[in-house]
Amino acid sequence: MHELSLVQALSALVDAECAERGARAKAVRIAVGELASVEPSLLVLAWEDAAPQHGTLTVDFCAARQTCATCGDVADRQPGSWLRLCPTCGSPLRVSGGDELELVEIDFEEDPVRC
Ligand SMILES: [Zn+2]
């Protein structure tokens, strides 16, 4: 299961941070992009199953942006849908962002630490 192996890798990262600080994590925040092929709800379930010692997992879902060279941002894309061409002028669209898969913040029992 893809999500479980991610959680195990993430948990190992958090373990290392905790060991370095001699502190316990109480909450972990990650960013997951729309194009990262990860289902945030499955990730949270896997986390609760495999890494409960690190507290809660919060997933920031990052949508990808589709932009047209002529018209700029395509604003009317529905969540989860994907456009092949610009709805206004029919040009091919450029994609940016949405491939995030990273640790954003670990909240230790004392102060939060930015990664
Ligand atoms: Zn356009």
Side-chain angles (χ1 to χ4, degrees), residues 14 17-18 21 23-29 103-115:
V14 176
E17 290 291 328
C18 289
R21 295 177 57 101
R24 276 167 51 87
K26 62 178 179 184
V28 175
R29 176 181 292 271
L103 189 54
V104 177
E105 182 179 68
I106 301 172
D107 197 0
F108 290 100
E109 302 226 306
E110 6 162 306
D111 309 308
V113 175
R114 287 256 157 206
C115 297

Side-chain angles (χ1 to χ4, degrees), residues 68 70-71 86 88-89:
C68 170
T70 311
C71 312
C86 175
T88 309
C89 72

Side-chain angles (χ1 to χ4, degrees), residues 47-70:
W47 182 262
E48 288 169 354
D49 195 44
Q53 72 277 19
H54 294 319
T56 56
L57 179 71
T58 305
V59 178
D60 290 339
F61 190 69
C62 309
R65 283 178 63 202
Q66 289 195 288
T67 49
C68 170
T70 311

